[in-house]
Amino acid sequence: MTKKKFTKKKKWLIFGGGGTLVLILIVISLMRKDDDAIKVETEKITRQTIIHKVNASGKIQPETEVKISATSSAWIDSITAEEGDYVKKGQHLITLDRKQLLSNYNAAVSSVRSANARLKQELASKKRVENMYEQNLASDQELEAVQASYEIANSSLAQAKSSLESREDDLNKARIVSPQDGIVTAVNKEVGEMAVGGMFQAEVLMIIADLNRMEVIVDVNENDVVSVSQGDTTEIEIDAFQDTLFYGVVSEIAHMAQTSSVGSAEQVTNFEVKIRMIQVPDGIRPGMSATANIITDKKDNVLTIPIQSLTVRPEGSEFMTFGKNKDSDKNNDSKRQKAKKMEELVFIIANKPSGVLRDGIMSDMDEKSLNKTKIGKDEKIVHIRPIHVGISSETHYEVLSGIGEGEVIVTGSYRAISKDLSHNKVVKTQEDEPNGKNGFNIKTETNKSGD
């Protein structure tokens, strides 16, 4: 008897435990179903000012920079200016060895004297023969010969004078002077070294720059340079002057591209852009690194959306499944194959399922599919909304068409916008529950159980 009662009690315990387990599984299932609603961040469409900027980095250089070289090779006798000195136009900078140049000059002077004496001699002979010719004492041949000799002597004198001027110029250039006012930014030689001169491969002895007029030379990508124009205002940040913003104006845009890493996957094509600085700070030096934000366009009081809210989907994506891997209906297969053209869109917060408003026309949706969508308490629906955007700032896009002021769009998370969300998807917004953290709202167990 005792054994039978114990077996009966054991059976009741087993049945009771099994029922409790089933109840727990049902509650867990309901909780999982409720968790299918994606938590999102939202924002209302407002009007703002959009400023489009092209960002580029480069180096600071003087607008005018003169590289001083010697016209002929000679030893350096003296250097009168040091790096950092301020010099004026015409000020003596470098003296080259003049011995060889002076010898060449003296030889040219001697040649001029000889040519001048020869010319005087030929002139006297010419006058004498001309007098004899008038008295019929000289022939035509003698007259022509003496006149030719005079012309040759005259030409030799002109040639000697020209050579003297060249030698004198070389001698004068042995004393190098400053061609402009400015700061000596580099001295590349020392006294006693050879200054290699010439027309094509002359060494740079000294560099003088006007540091009162500086420019930023930046490389702008080929995709951005088309929007840059001369005269565009530019914000300049210099690494050496932190937390200080300077301003400049685009003064020159290169017509020839500069291509790096040609033939590789990292090939980049840039165009050199020069930006003249409006205010030049004290202590600035050529070669400093700088970043420029070129303001190419500005629009006031326009509809805007955050950059992260815009995504791209195939046209007709309302008939496709995104996010979790699920098998779609066979009726949608043909529509999915036709969805090849891509369109830019945002996700709009709505209260009930519907079609897609595309270019002002509402699309048709399957009524059965719409009825399958179950909306719980404190939940919303998202609709895809194709839009057209214009210029962009660092944080927002200008909206040209497709959406109206005051509508609420999804702004986060990135995963939700790029992957999880789809048309007529159930979501929870940050406004649904005040206890949410970081813009997301989490339902408590009390709300789920209904207690």
Side-chain angles (χ1 to χ4, degrees):
M1 238 1 231
T2 307
K3 187 176 181 180
K4 288 183 179 180
K5 287 183 180 180
F6 178 78
T7 303
K8 200 171 184 180
K9 186 183 293 185
K10 189 175 181 182
K11 289 181 179 179
W12 279 108
L13 288 173
I14 292 173
F15 288 138
T20 304
L21 179 61
V22 171
L23 182 61
I24 292 173
L25 291 175
I26 292 173
V27 171
I28 293 174
S29 177
L30 292 174
M31 290 172 62
R32 286 181 178 175
K33 183 178 179 181
D34 189 67
D35 283 341
D36 285 342
I38 301 173
K39 303 177 182 69
V40 298
E41 300 174 6
T42 62
E43 183 177 310
K44 279 189 177 183
I45 299 296
T46 59
R47 292 184 177 273
Q48 298 182 21
T49 297
I50 292 287
I51 301 176
H52 182 254
K53 299 178 182 179
V54 172
N55 182 270
S57 58
K59 299 290 184 180
I60 295 177
Q61 296 293 339
E63 284 190 32
T64 56
E65 184 180 73
V66 179
K67 296 179 179 180
I68 298 175
S69 301
T71 57
S72 58
S73 299
W75 299 102
I76 298 176
D77 278 348
S78 65
I79 299 176
T80 61
E82 298 180 354
E83 188 172 331
D85 289 350
Y86 176 80
V87 295
K88 293 184 177 182
K89 183 177 181 179
Q91 181 176 331
H92 175 224
L93 301 176
I94 300 173
T95 300
L96 302 178
D97 180 45
R98 294 159 55 95
K99 293 178 181 177
Q100 182 65 38
L101 298 175
L102 186 59
S103 175
N104 294 337
Y105 173 77
N106 292 333
V109 170
S110 177
S111 296
V112 170
R113 290 175 180 172
S114 298
N116 196 22
R118 177 66 183 277
L119 180 63
K120 290 180 179 180
Q121 183 180 7
E122 292 296 335
L123 178 60
S125 298
K126 177 176 173 290
K127 288 181 178 181
R128 184 171 60 253
V129 172
E130 287 176 346
N131 291 331
M132 293 174 62
Y133 182 78
E134 291 176 357
Q135 299 174 10
N136 295 323
L137 298 177
S139 63
D140 293 340
Q141 186 178 1
E142 291 176 332
L143 178 63
E144 292 172 358
V146 74
Q147 288 176 342
S149 297
Y150 173 77
E151 292 297 333
I152 293 173
N154 194 22
S155 177
S156 297
L157 177 61
Q159 186 176 358
K161 287 182 178 180
S162 178
S163 178
L164 176 61
E165 290 177 357
S166 177
R167 299 303 181 185
E168 185 178 9
D169 183 63
D170 291 340
L171 184 62
N172 292 334
K173 287 180 178 177
R175 185 178 183 273
I176 301 175
V177 298
S178 175
Q180 67 170 30
D181 296 348
I183 301 294
V184 177
T185 57
V187 178
N188 300 326
K189 289 289 184 178
E190 299 288 343
V191 174
E193 291 184 323
M194 171 67 74
V196 179
M199 296 297 295
F200 304 104
Q201 295 181 346
E203 290 183 334
V204 177
L205 306 180
M206 186 179 292
I207 300 176
I208 297 177
D210 184 1
L211 300 186
N212 293 321
R213 296 187 299 169
M214 304 293 285
E215 63 185 7
V216 184
I217 302 178
V218 297
D219 292 327
V220 178
N221 188 268
E222 60 181 327
N223 298 321
D224 296 324
V225 75
V226 292
S227 61
V228 179
S229 303
Q230 286 189 358
D232 284 345
T233 303
T234 306
E235 299 172 346
I236 302 171
E237 296 179 359
I238 304 175
D239 294 352
F241 297 85
Q242 296 184 1
D243 302 326
T244 305
L245 194 64
F246 304 94
Y247 293 92
V249 177
V250 175
S251 59
E252 185 178 333
I253 304 173
H255 292 281
M256 293 293 293
Q258 297 177 347
T259 305
S260 59
S261 302
V262 179
S264 66
E266 293 78 21
Q267 179 173 328
V268 178
T269 301
N270 294 322
F271 288 82
E272 187 178 271
V273 175
K274 294 182 179 180
I275 302 167
R276 179 174 55 84
M277 296 186 66
I278 297 176
Q279 291 182 335
V280 180
D282 294 335
I284 195 170
R285 284 174 169 79
M288 286 184 172
S289 300
T291 302
N293 292 314
I294 305 172
I295 301 174
T296 62
D297 201 357
K298 178 181 178 181
K299 293 186 178 180
D300 297 318
N301 195 32
V302 294
L303 291 178
T304 61
I305 60 169
I307 286 179
Q308 70 272 14
S309 65
L310 187 69
T311 187
V312 178
R313 297 285 173 88
E315 190 174 294
S317 59
E318 60 267 29
F319 302 107
M320 304 174 67
T321 301
F322 291 87
K324 298 179 180 179
N325 294 326
K326 295 181 179 179
D327 294 332
S328 58
D329 297 336
K330 293 182 179 180
N331 295 333
N332 294 335
D333 289 344
S334 60
K335 295 178 180 179
R336 185 181 299 107
Q337 293 175 0
K338 294 179 181 179
K340 296 179 179 179
K341 184 179 179 181
M342 306 299 288
E343 61 183 357
E344 295 179 327
L345 55 86
V346 294
F347 289 97
I348 303 295
I349 298 297
N351 294 320
K352 61 180 182 179
S354 70
V356 177
L357 185 62
R358 184 179 283 109
D359 295 329
I361 301 175
M362 183 67 71
S363 66
D364 296 329
M365 294 291 292
D366 186 5
E367 291 295 334
K368 293 182 179 180
S369 299
L370 295 179
N371 293 332
K372 287 182 181 178
T373 305
K374 303 298 182 182
I375 307 174
K377 184 180 179 182
D378 297 331
E379 292 179 344
K380 302 288 185 181
I381 292 291
V382 293
H383 296 164
I384 65 172
R385 179 70 62 80
I387 64 172
H388 298 284
V389 297
I391 66 172
S392 63
S393 66
E394 295 177 353
T395 57
H396 287 76
Y397 281 112
E398 172 200 11
V399 178
L400 299 178
S401 63
I403 200 170
E405 186 175 1
E407 292 191 81
V408 181
I409 64 172
V410 177
T411 59
S413 66
Y414 172 79
R415 176 184 173 86
I417 295 174
S418 63
K419 183 176 181 180
D420 294 340
L421 292 182
S422 60
H423 188 62
N424 287 330
K425 190 78 172 179
V426 179
V427 298
K428 295 180 193 153
T429 68
Q430 68 267 38
E431 297 177 354
D432 292 337
E433 296 180 22
N435 295 327
K437 296 181 180 179
N438 298 326
F440 299 98
N441 299 280
I442 304 173
K443 283 192 173 184
T444 62
E445 300 231 353
T446 303
N447 289 334
K448 290 179 180 177
S449 62
D451 294 338

